Structure formats: structure tokens, C-alpha cells
């Protein structure tokens, strides 16, 4: 097994958990304090005033949901980053399934229920000299029942189950599931099993291709007339598969 996958399994998270009522962004807080914090430190906030999403978007962060970030001191390669994306995504799917909510993975790292987003992951690298590290920021919609002006459809555990869920217990569950993902489980296979992208057809360079797989580096494997080719995420219009509106 590749070193990056083994490493993603070895790092235990949540030995130190720092809890705040309000922060601008838990990712920003970890980035500012990365040199002081240990491997696997988690920072959690009840509210974020400047919650960040992917592609420079804002992550709406009112009280009632879970917002947390994890510090990972690790080699920063595409493969190691994708191994954390896979592990985090399947931990989130398992967590939701423990609460009777069936979730799928929207490649690369959104978690959906019936095509509505319930959780997102924002990975940022940390650029100190002599520090190879990244921040894994996770937002899970828990008790929110109204979403304003999003450019995608969103849901929450409350909307799916009609129940109010204790936010601290969700964080504890996440840490337990993440830390105990068994070494014998094939993280890559589980990620593929929960991914909604496979076997869809897509137009690439004017020809129809079938999405056969996502490899361990996070690239997409296409097939066209019996030939396989591998393309990077940003070369394909995968967003067109996800009808959010
Ligand atoms: C996405 O756009 O899907 C990623 C959302 C990530 C949100 C989380 S909430 C905790 C952490 N702090 C942030 O500012 N963003 C991430």
C-alpha cells in the first residue's frame, strides 16, 4: 500500500480540541496557530463570522451547525491530499448513516443527501517554512432549517430526520469514526462506492466518454471506445452532473 494512504490512517485526530463560541473561521485560526498546535488538533466554533467555502465562497455559519478544522502535519502531495479527502468523506458518510441518513459523495469532497448538500470540506495548505501541513475544515449542517441565497440546494440533519441533534456528540462521533477506520478497509473502494459520478457519460474534447473510476491521486479515469485515459478534475465539466438548482 502507498505510504500516503498508510499515513492518512495512522494520524489520530482530536487528542486536543479547542472550543470557541465565535471565530472568523476555524481554518484561519488553525493556520495562524499551526506552529503551536500538535498533530491532529481540532478547533471548533459555534459560529463563524467569516466561514470559508471552496472556490472563495462564503460558508454560511449560524449557530446550530458544526464547524471544525483539523491540523494535519503531512507531506503535501496530490496523493496525500486526496487520501485525506477520501478518508474524511467516507467518515462523514458513515457518521450520517449512523443517524439513519443515507449520504453520497459529490466528487471531490461534498456530501449530499438526495442531491442537496449537507456537508462540505475545505482543504488549505499551510505555508510556513519548515512546516508541511494542511488544514482540513469541515462544515456539517445539523440543526439549521432555513438556508439563504445559496447557489446550490442545501439540507441539514434536522430537515432530513425532523430531530434536533446534539452538536458535540456529532463531533465526538466523527472523531471516533475517523480514528477507527480500520486498516483493513479499502478507503479508495469505499469512496468509489459512495461516489455518484461513476458510469456517467461526459463530453470530453468533443467525444462521449464514460467515467470509469477516480484514481488514488483524485484524477478521473475515462473510457472511450475501449481506451482508458486519465484526466485532472479541472479539465472536466463535472459540475454539470450535479443539478443543484
Ligand atoms: C465547501 O464549500 O463545500 C467547503 C465548506 C467548508 C466549511 C468549513 S466550516 C469549518 C471550516 N472553517 C471554514 O471557514 N470553512 C470550513
Amino acid at each position: 500500500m502507498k505510504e500516503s494512504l498508510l499515513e492518512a490512517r495512522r494520524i489520530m485526530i482530536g487528542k486536543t480540541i479547542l472550543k470557541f463560541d465565535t471565530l472568523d473561521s476555524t481554518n484561519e485560526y488553525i493556520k495562524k496557530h499551526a506552529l503551536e498546535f500538535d498533530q491532529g488538533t481540532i478547533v471548533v466554533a459555534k459560529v463563524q463570522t467569516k466561514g470559508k467555502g471552496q472556490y472563495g465562497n462564503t460558508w454560511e455559519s449560524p449557530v446550530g451547525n458544526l464547524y471544525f478544522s483539523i491540523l494535519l502535519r503531512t507531506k503535501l502531495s496530490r496523493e496525500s491530499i486526496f487520501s485525506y479527502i477520501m478518508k474524511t468523506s467516507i467518515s462523514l458518510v458513515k457518521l450520517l448513516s449512523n443517524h439513519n441518513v443515507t449520504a453520497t459523495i459529490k466528487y471531490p469532497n461534498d456530501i449530499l443527501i438526495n442531491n442537496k448538500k449537507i456537508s462540505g470540506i475545505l482543504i488549505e495548505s499551510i505555508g510556513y517554512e519548515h512546516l508541511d501541513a494542511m488544514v482540513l475544515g469541515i462544515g456539517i449542517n445539523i440543526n439549521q432549517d432555513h438556508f439563504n441565497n445559496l447557489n446550490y440546494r442545501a439540507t441539514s440533519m434536522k430537515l432530513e430526520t425532523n430531530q434536533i441533534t446534539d452538536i458535540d456528540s456529532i463531533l465526538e462521533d466523527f472523531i471516533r469514526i475517523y480514528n477507527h477506520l480500520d486498516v483493513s478497509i479499502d478507503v479508495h473502494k469505499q469512496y468509489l462506492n459512495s461516489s455518484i459520478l461513476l458510469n456517467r457519460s461526459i463530453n470530453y474534447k468533443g467525444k462521449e466518454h464514460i467515467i470509469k473510476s477516480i484514481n488514488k491521486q483524485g484524477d478521473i479515469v475515462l473510457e472511450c471506445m475501449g481506451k482508458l485515459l486519465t484526466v485532472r478534475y479541472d479539465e472536466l465539466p463535472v459540475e454539470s452532473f450535479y443539478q443543484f438548482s
Side-chain angles (χ1 to χ4, degrees):
M1 188 180 297
K2 279 277 179 71
E3 189 57 29
S4 53
L5 281 178
L6 284 171
E7 187 206 79
R9 283 170 195 185
R10 265 198 309 262
I11 293 179
M12 301 288 276
I13 61 164
K15 202 170 141 223
T16 305
I17 303 178
L18 304 170
K19 295 189 175 183
F20 294 86
D21 284 339
T22 305
L23 283 179
D24 53 353
S25 151
T26 54
N27 269 34
E28 285 304 313
Y29 191 84
I30 287 214
K31 287 201 292 182
K32 269 185 219 134
H33 296 275
L35 291 172
E36 302 146 42
F37 293 164
D38 295 332
Q39 175 74 288
T41 294
I42 291 182
V43 170
V44 53
K46 287 185 184 156
V47 169
Q48 295 185 119
T49 53
K50 285 190 186 156
K52 301 191 323 176
Q54 297 170 61
Y55 316 113
N57 292 328
T58 299
W59 187 257
E60 201 180 293
S61 307
V63 71
N65 299 324
L66 178 58
Y67 314 108
F68 67 107
S69 301
I70 308 164
L71 175 66
L72 298 166
R73 295 168 188 277
T74 178
K75 189 165 54 89
L76 290 171
S77 63
R78 287 177 58 238
E79 185 162 6
S80 87
I81 291 170
F82 196 64
S83 68
Y84 285 102
I85 289 178
M86 290 192 291
K87 189 170 172 187
T88 305
S89 302
I90 62 175
S91 299
L92 289 167
V93 169
K94 277 180 196 296
L95 169 76
L96 291 164
S97 142
N98 289 351
H99 289 264
N100 301 318
V101 179
T102 303
T104 52
I105 298 168
K106 168 186 175 282
Y107 167 85
N109 54 1
D110 292 333
I111 308 300
L112 306 183
I113 294 173
N114 294 328
N115 237 11
K116 294 183 195 159
K117 185 155 159 174
I118 191 162
S119 176
I121 304 168
L122 176 67
I123 295 191
E124 296 184 273
S125 57
I126 298 181
Y128 289 111
E129 223 179 318
H130 310 305
L131 180 72
D132 245 5
M134 64 174 138
V135 185
L136 204 70
I138 299 162
I140 310 176
N141 298 333
I142 298 184
N143 295 319
Q144 188 169 355
D145 45 23
H146 183 75
F147 293 89
N148 296 315
N149 307 324
L150 296 179
N151 57 359
Y152 53 82
R153 282 160 66 206
T155 190
S156 66
M157 290 179 70
K158 182 173 174 212
L159 288 174
E160 298 299 322
T161 62
N162 279 326
Q163 279 170 5
I164 299 276
T165 303
D166 178 59
I167 298 168
D168 286 342
S169 74
I170 293 292
L171 178 61
E172 282 165 25
D173 282 358
F174 177 86
I175 295 169
R176 185 179 42 77
I177 291 168
Y178 184 99
N179 282 338
H180 291 94
L181 269 188
D182 197 76
V183 180
S184 62
I185 346 174
D186 187 334
V187 170
H188 181 236
K189 196 166 163 194
Q190 291 217 358
Y191 179 88
L192 293 180
N193 284 345
S194 296
S195 169
I196 54 177
L197 203 61
L198 300 189
N199 298 319
R200 307 263 183 124
S201 85
I202 192 166
N203 191 293
Y204 177 64
K205 295 194 172 165
K207 284 188 191 155
E208 281 306 300
H209 291 69
I210 303 291
I211 300 181
K212 295 304 283 183
S213 190
I214 298 158
N215 69 19
K216 289 179 183 171
Q217 288 76 42
D219 301 321
I220 297 178
V221 182
L222 298 178
E223 186 193 64
C224 181
M225 295 192 289
K227 284 195 180 148
L228 294 179
L229 76 156
T230 301
V231 294
R232 301 257 313 236
Y233 168 69
D234 48 10
E235 294 177 69
L236 283 176
V238 285
E239 283 298 321
S240 62
F241 285 126
Y242 307 122
Q243 297 124 21
F244 279 131
S245 51

